[in-house]
Amino acid sequence: MIMNLINDTLKRDKNGTRRFSRTSLTMFSAWLIVISFAIFDFISNGLRYDVWIALLGVATVVKVADSAAKKLNNLQ
């Protein structure tokens, strides 16, 4: 199940083979860092509204940017 998740989200087809996408790996590592900082902040300071809003804002902006990029790719 984990391998299917990795193949679907972190890899792309390139010349008939599945290769890791640099963009996906960068976003994945950035999210790991953000989530680890959020967990550390939660442990030390409790649930803070500003941290929660920042996480929701980043997730929303990433989704909107991904949607816009797909629309631009479809126009070509």
Side-chain angles (χ1 to χ4, degrees):
M1 187 166 140
I2 292 174
M3 288 306 294
N4 286 338
L5 183 65
I6 289 171
N7 283 330
D8 288 342
T9 58
L10 297 178
K11 291 185 176 183
R12 292 184 181 224
D13 268 333
K14 193 167 192 176
N15 299 330
T17 61
R18 301 286 289 174
R19 302 186 125 208
F20 282 103
S21 166
R22 285 183 277 158
T23 304
S24 296
L25 288 173
T26 302
M27 289 178 65
F28 179 69
S29 62
W31 269 109
L32 285 178
I33 292 169
V34 167
I35 294 298
S36 63
F37 276 117
I39 290 170
F40 176 75
D41 186 65
F42 175 69
I43 290 170
S44 61
N45 298 322
L47 183 62
R48 291 180 36 196
Y49 183 70
D50 58 336
V51 174
W52 179 249
I53 292 300
L55 287 173
L56 289 178
V58 169
T60 303
V61 168
V62 166
K63 186 63 180 167
V64 169
D66 186 46
S67 175
K70 284 182 182 178
K71 285 182 182 179
L72 288 175
N73 283 338
N74 289 338
L75 291 177
Q76 293 177 350

